[in-house]
Amino acid sequence: MAVIPVELAGRPYEVHVGVGLLAELVPHCRGRLRKRGVPIVTDANVHAAWGEVVENALRDAGHEPHWRILPPGEATKSWDQLAATVNWLLELEVERGDHVLALGGGVIGDLTGFAAAILKRGCHFIQLPTTLLAQVDSSVGGKTAINTPAGKNLVGAFHQPSLVLADLAALETLPERELRAGYAEVVKYGLIGDAEFFTWCEDHGAALLAGDTPLREYAVAHSVRAKAKIVAEDERETTGARALLNLGHTFGHALEAETGFSNRLLHGEGVALGMVLAARYSARIGLMGAGEAERAAEAIGSVGLPATLSELGLACDGKALAAHMLHDKKMDAGTLPFVLMKGIGHAFLARDVALDDVAAFLDTELAR
Ligand code: NAD
Ligand code: GLY
């Protein structure tokens, strides 16, 4: 098992990565579950796959689990589910010193973390991420949020978990498409700042996705280490370091918006294609070689993730896609910062990107 510290002043916590952590939940929580009753939020799919393991782990250690089982899917990150979850925690008389467990993917982690952030002005929570995306990204770093009719993740809080237990066994029941979508976030760490890790992904990505556990452990632990370093440096995304984690997200968000935030394009798939577009746009404006941009596209496309815009079958033009970017929450005094690359492993924040040039670029990509 790998143990990765997230070094936040006054609030450090650990991310444990290994096989069988859910079955050994209570010893890993090291006394944090201080009462018999343990509130645990999950979704119906995760409960079907892992409910019994977690139930037994808690009961065998003398705890009584209180389950809140939510509908799977992005729509669960809503005001209604937030309010109902907070009311449920209040009915359970959860106190600020108690820990709420979040068992699931990014949807459950984001919603439960936000509920914990506002319950009695903040109670503790433990992330038990069960998707690859949640293990390498969303469970670490304390971004919590819900969606509103105005957009995704527009209401939320920074609220750090007190512990993250990433059980690689959970990935065994994850649908293959979800696994691949999460893998995009693994490749992201290579593209942002670690060319060596990008090469590792080129060499081992297919085997990792096919089920090789030691490769998965290496990839998850390496990704978490990269994220922990960035979060420790720039917890609230104020200096620009954390903003690099948004590589591919501005393009990806526009694609998700155009496809109605639906199953047509999962978040990780949008990020995958968004990273390819960021690489190709970087090449277009002379920041990196076209060959390097195509290397990024190959690493993504070769494992079955979308790497060309035309494969989405969109019925819009580049201008319409660029228009979605204007609603991005990263808009800052009329400009939209873009994460671009000066090469693989050399991402940076560009503040002078002209949206009409991006629209023209997207037209060429739609026709590619
Ligand atoms: P998700 O939580 O919707 O999970 C994907 C699907 O897999 C769901 O149907 C879920 O029921 C199912 N599932 C989860 N684990 C399973 C398992 N082990 N076995 C079987 N089925 C399982 O999606 P996600 O990709 O994990 O997360 C996406 C969300 O994360 C988005 O809302 C996004 O905004 C958010 N996000 C947050 C951050 C952050 O820093 N907070 C970062 C990235 C993404
Ligand atoms: N997923 C981006 C971040 O945590 O900052």
Side-chain angles (χ1 to χ4, degrees), residues 137-138 140-143 158 185 188-189 227 230-231 237 242-243 245-246 249 267:
D137 189 1
S138 65
V140 181
K143 279 189 181 175
F158 285 97
E185 304 276 6
K188 184 179 80 175
Y189 293 106
K227 179 146 188 187
I230 291 174
V231 168
E237 208 167 304
R242 187 161 184 171
L245 292 173
N246 295 325
H249 284 60
H267 174 75

Side-chain angles (χ1 to χ4, degrees), residues 43 45-46 49-50 72-74 77 105-108 110 130-131 133-134 137-138 143 152-153 170 173-175 178 185 227 267:
D43 75 27
N45 293 337
V46 179
W50 291 95
E74 194 62 38
K77 278 173 57 173
V107 164
I108 292 300
D110 280 12
T130 60
T131 65
L133 181 139
D137 189 1
S138 65
K143 279 189 181 175
K152 257 190 80 171
N153 295 330
T173 57
L174 189 64
E178 296 287 352
E185 304 276 6
K227 179 146 188 187
H267 174 75

Side-chain angles (χ1 to χ4, degrees), residues 107-138:
V107 164
I108 292 300
D110 280 12
L111 176 90
T112 310
F114 191 25
I118 59 178
L119 185 92
K120 301 183 177 171
R121 298 201 182 94
C123 73
H124 301 303
F125 79 116
I126 294 174
Q127 290 270 22
L128 307 173
T130 60
T131 65
L132 182 57
L133 181 139
Q135 296 190 350
V136 300
D137 189 1
S138 65

